[in-house]
Every structure is written in structure tokens, then in C-alpha cells.
Amino acid sequence: MTSVRSPTLQDDQKFSLMKFRRAVADVTKPEHDDFFLIRWLNARNWDIEKAEKMFRDSIKWRERWGVDDIVNWKVPQPIVDYCPHGLSGFDKDGSPIIIIPFAGMDMWGTLHTVSRADYIRATIQNLEHYMKIGYEQSKTHGPSARQFVIIFDMEGFIVKQYTWRPAAEVVISLIKMYEANYPEILKCCYIINVPRVFAFVYNIVKNFLDDYTLSKIFIFKNESKKWLPKLLLHVDESQLPKYFGGQMTDSDGNPKCLSKICWGGKVPEELYTDKNDSLAKNEDFVETTIKKGGKIKLELKCDDDEYLLKWEFRTIDHDIRFGITRVNNQTGDENIEIPLQRVASHQLDEEGFITCQKDCTYHVLFDNSYSYFKGKRIRYSISLVKQQNVADLEEAADKITNN
């Protein structure tokens, strides 16, 4: 077995590492080599006292969640079947490449089927599994192989699941857990095929990530010509599914490599602990037909600035024109929020949000006046939703992980 070479450090860093190792000697294990300890020092800018506190807090967290024995915990079958993730291969330095088809995550269905604690515990088990793979890789490829390359595929991402507070709380819990207990394991993260509405979730999420982690995250829209060349600088095509521009396929030729990656999917409602609760039932959808040459205009009044105007709609067979204007209730001034334009909502669900202003009325327009011959069938949900308060989410997330 090949040993991992010692890290290259400055003299003052060598001295700090020696002091840190002595300070935590009572809780370290044989596998906690210099590279492992340096992760904690880096996470706290080489402040020995802060690094020690972080490390000891993490040891207590591991005891509370039974992390050292979590490999033996049986994951609930719905998580096994519907939680999207998988190891496709290794980058050019031997680091694990983890692919997460995030749109396949049915958070609503999952959290109506298993407990939040079980979902977090399953995530911990996955992290520990991938870290073990990275550690084994480091024996032949060097310490950088202990870090992950992560690809989040956001194609088909639906934001409405994350305006549901329990889902948002669990996501924040996982991020805080990662930041506190798994420092320096991210090599780089590619978030690809990002829709416009992803900004709603990311603007909340980034509050809980430090600047160093954020610097490793690269976000791309659905243009593979931009993200694929950057990815292939570090990843050989043989280690990437053909679906993402690589060469890898399953033995039957499937480009998504289902033998390696679980793509998730909608959790069947018959598995719900509450059989009468579903995401569709909790969305206020209206179905109607807009006559040829006609329009539908919806009016929503916002009394304070803590709300988002959220929309989702789909038309059957044909497109529609869609736009939003804002009227100041005090001055009567009118402003365009979303310019009136034709959208191909018959091809894909159209969804999005805008941040509302206090004492304003919003007019949402579905316009079929350009069509002289065809009425348009439409199914839509337009609503005002209260913005998630970051401090409240953080407090709720702490309760989840500390219980």
C-alpha cells in the first residue's frame, strides 16, 4: 500500500500543525494524518484555537449522529430509489466525480415519506462513502484525490418545491452540516443547465457558504459549449456519461449511465405517510381557455415588501403572450416588471418570480389578442408568497441537526 506523501508547508505552518496535532491528540485517530488536520486549519485560516473548537464540535456532532457506524445503518428504501446521485468516475487527479441530477429530487414527496432526520442521515452516509473512496484513491494518486468534483445538473429544476418551508430548512441544514463538519473536501462544483428561477434558491443558499467554498462553484446556463470545455480540462471523457458530453454509457448503451447514477424521480403518493397530501393539491391552479383575440388580467395587491410574486403556467398546443406590470398605489405610476412577449409555454412549464414592492398592485396578463383563429387552453398558478427569512431558516436548520 502506497503511503501519502507529506504536505509542503512553510515553517510557521509546520509549527502550527504540530501545535494543533498536540492540542487534539486525545480525539484523533490513526487515519487523521497531516492532510486531514490541515483541512481544519485551512477552514479557520490557521487559527489554532478556532480550528480546535471546530474539530471538537465536529467530533461531538459525529457522536450525536453515530457517523462512525453509519455505514451499517439501513437507508429507507424511498431514499435509495428516489434520491439522485452517483459516482461516474474520477478526474485526472484521481478525485471522485459525483453527479447529482438535482431536478430528480422530489423533496416534497421524500419529506412526506421519510423523516427529515433520516434524509440527513442518508446524506451523511453518502458523504462518508465518497470520502472513503477518495481516501483510497489518495493512496495512489496523492492527497488531492480526497476532494470531490461535483456536477449538479439543474435541467428541469422546479422552484416551487423550495418555497415550501420544510424543504428549505432541510437544504439549509445540510449546507450548514457540510460547512461545519466536512471542510476542504470540495475540489470544484459545476452547476449546469441552470434556469432563471434557480437564483431564488441560490440567493438563500449562498448565505451559508464561506467565500472559499463559493469560489469553487461555477454556474452555467443550459449551454454545454460553455461548461463542457471547462469540465474536460480536469475530467477525461471516459469518466463522464455520454449524456453530459463524455464517452461513458451503460452496457446497453444508455447515455445516462443508470447503473452508476440514480436519477431520482417523483415519489409515488401511495408511499406518503399522509396519503391525502400532495404538492399538486397544495398549489392553487386554475384551468381555463382564453378565447381567440382575448386576454386574462389578474390583479394582486402587495401591502409590504416581504413577498415574492410567483408564477407557473402551461398552455396546451399553442404559445401565449405573458407580461407583468406594477402600479404604485400612492402615486399611480406604472412600471413594466416583465415585458409582454410570446413564450413557448406549450413546450415547457413557464415559471418564475419577482420580488414585490410595498404598497403596489401587480397586473399579470395572459394575452391572446394576436390570435384571430385559436383559443388557448391554459393551466396557471399565480400567487404572492412570503420570502424565506434567512435568520429564521438558520434557526430551524440548527434545531434539525442538533436534535
Side-chain angles (χ1 to χ4, degrees):
M1 181 172 61
T2 304
S3 61
V4 179
R5 61 184 180 274
S6 298
T8 302
L9 300 173
Q10 301 294 328
D11 288 343
D12 58 337
Q13 291 177 324
K14 291 179 181 178
F15 181 68
S16 295
L17 175 59
M18 180 184 66
K19 288 183 64 178
F20 181 52
R21 179 173 285 283
R22 288 176 179 173
V24 296
D26 59 312
V27 289
T28 53
K29 297 180 179 181
E31 64 267 27
H32 294 165
D33 59 14
D34 288 349
F35 288 102
F36 175 86
L37 295 179
I38 287 171
R39 285 170 41 201
W40 305 88
L41 287 166
N42 274 333
R44 290 298 178 261
N45 296 316
W46 289 79
D47 185 309
I48 297 173
E49 290 185 6
K50 290 181 179 179
E52 180 183 356
K53 182 181 186 308
M54 182 185 186
F55 183 55
R56 290 187 181 278
D57 287 346
S58 183
I59 293 294
K60 293 177 183 177
W61 170 83
R62 293 180 70 87
E63 292 173 353
R64 187 164 61 249
W65 284 85
V67 177
D68 289 343
D69 296 318
I70 206 164
V71 66
N72 298 315
W73 176 67
K74 183 174 175 56
V75 182
Q77 197 60 40
I79 297 180
V80 175
D81 293 339
Y82 298 101
C83 183
H85 71 99
L87 177 74
S88 73
F90 303 94
D91 77 354
K92 294 177 181 179
D93 296 324
S95 297
I97 303 169
I98 302 168
I99 295 180
I100 303 174
F102 201 82
M105 170 49 68
D106 178 9
M107 287 294 289
W108 176 277
T110 300
L111 295 181
H112 277 78
T113 308
V114 303
S115 70
R116 293 186 293 185
D118 278 353
Y119 184 76
I120 291 171
R121 192 171 286 109
T123 304
I124 297 171
Q125 188 186 77
N126 287 333
L127 278 170
E128 293 292 318
H129 172 67
Y130 289 133
M131 288 187 67
K132 184 176 180 180
I133 292 173
Y135 184 82
E136 291 301 315
Q137 285 287 107
S138 73
K139 293 176 181 178
T140 53
H141 293 275
S144 65
R146 298 186 193 181
Q147 293 183 303
F148 305 154
V149 175
I150 300 181
I151 302 172
F152 281 98
D153 178 19
M154 308 304 293
E155 185 175 7
F157 172 77
I158 298 175
V159 72
K160 66 182 177 183
Q161 295 212 34
Y162 302 94
T163 59
W164 182 48
R165 187 179 177 91
E169 290 174 354
V170 167
V171 170
I172 298 307
S173 298
L174 293 173
I175 293 170
K176 288 174 66 65
M177 177 194 76
Y178 161 80
E179 284 285 290
N181 301 287
Y182 296 95
E184 300 287 309
I185 66 168
L186 179 65
K187 190 174 190 178
C188 55
C189 176
Y190 296 88
I191 306 179
I192 63 174
N193 298 323
V194 171
R196 182 178 65 249
V197 293
F198 175 69
F200 170 76
V201 174
Y202 190 67
N203 283 338
I204 295 176
V205 164
K206 67 183 183 181
N207 287 284
F208 303 96
L209 296 170
D210 63 33
D211 291 339
Y212 187 58
T213 299
L214 289 171
S215 72
K216 298 181 179 183
I217 298 175
F218 306 96
I219 300 176
F220 300 92
K221 296 180 181 179
N222 58 345
E223 298 179 358
S224 60
K225 64 182 181 181
K226 291 187 177 180
W227 56 261
L228 185 57
K230 296 182 183 297
L231 187 59
L232 292 179
L233 290 174
H234 310 286
V235 176
D236 191 84
E237 290 179 328
S238 66
Q239 302 295 300
L240 194 65
K242 194 171 183 178
Y243 183 84
F244 295 108
Q247 299 174 342
M248 183 187 297
T249 64
D250 277 335
S251 57
D252 62 359
N254 193 311
K256 288 188 173 182
C257 298
L258 302 184
S259 64
K260 291 177 171 286
I261 302 167
C262 173
W263 284 72
K266 182 173 173 55
V267 178
E269 290 187 20
E270 55 264 28
L271 298 180
Y272 287 13
T273 53
D274 183 349
K275 301 294 191 298
N276 296 315
D277 204 2
S278 73
L279 186 59
K281 293 187 182 79
N282 283 271
E283 282 288 337
D284 185 20
F285 280 97
V286 175
E287 293 192 37
T288 189
T289 298
I290 306 175
K291 296 180 180 180
K292 57 185 179 182
K295 301 177 182 180
I296 292 179
K297 189 174 185 179
L298 307 173
E299 182 178 288
L300 297 93
K301 294 182 178 180
C302 184
D303 296 326
D304 61 45
D305 55 6
E306 295 182 357
Y307 283 84
L308 303 172
L309 192 161
K310 185 167 70 77
W311 64 86
E312 181 179 357
F313 63 90
R314 189 179 185 96
T315 49
I316 311 301
D317 298 330
H318 303 285
D319 61 7
I320 196 74
R321 285 205 297 184
F322 172 75
I324 301 176
T325 57
R326 169 175 50 85
V327 177
N328 187 300
N329 294 338
Q330 303 296 323
T331 65
D333 293 340
E334 183 173 326
N335 294 275
I336 296 174
E337 291 283 348
I338 303 293
L340 187 64
Q341 57 188 329
R342 292 173 73 165
V343 293
S345 52
H346 60 305
Q347 298 176 350
L348 190 68
D349 289 352
E350 184 74 17
E351 61 175 331
F353 70 94
I354 55 174
T355 302
C356 294
Q357 295 185 20
K358 185 177 180 180
D359 294 328
C360 288
T361 299
Y362 291 82
H363 296 123
V364 180
L365 181 65
F366 294 108
D367 182 4
N368 194 35
S369 62
Y370 61 94
S371 179
Y372 297 104
F373 304 104
K374 295 182 181 297
K376 306 291 175 66
R377 290 173 57 203
I378 186 170
R379 182 174 185 266
Y380 66 86
S381 173
I382 310 292
S383 60
L384 294 177
V385 296
K386 196 161 188 176
Q387 294 189 57
Q388 305 283 9
N389 184 289
V390 172
D392 288 346
L393 283 175
E394 184 172 18
E395 182 179 354
D398 287 341
K399 289 180 180 178
I400 294 171
T401 53
N402 290 331
N403 287 338

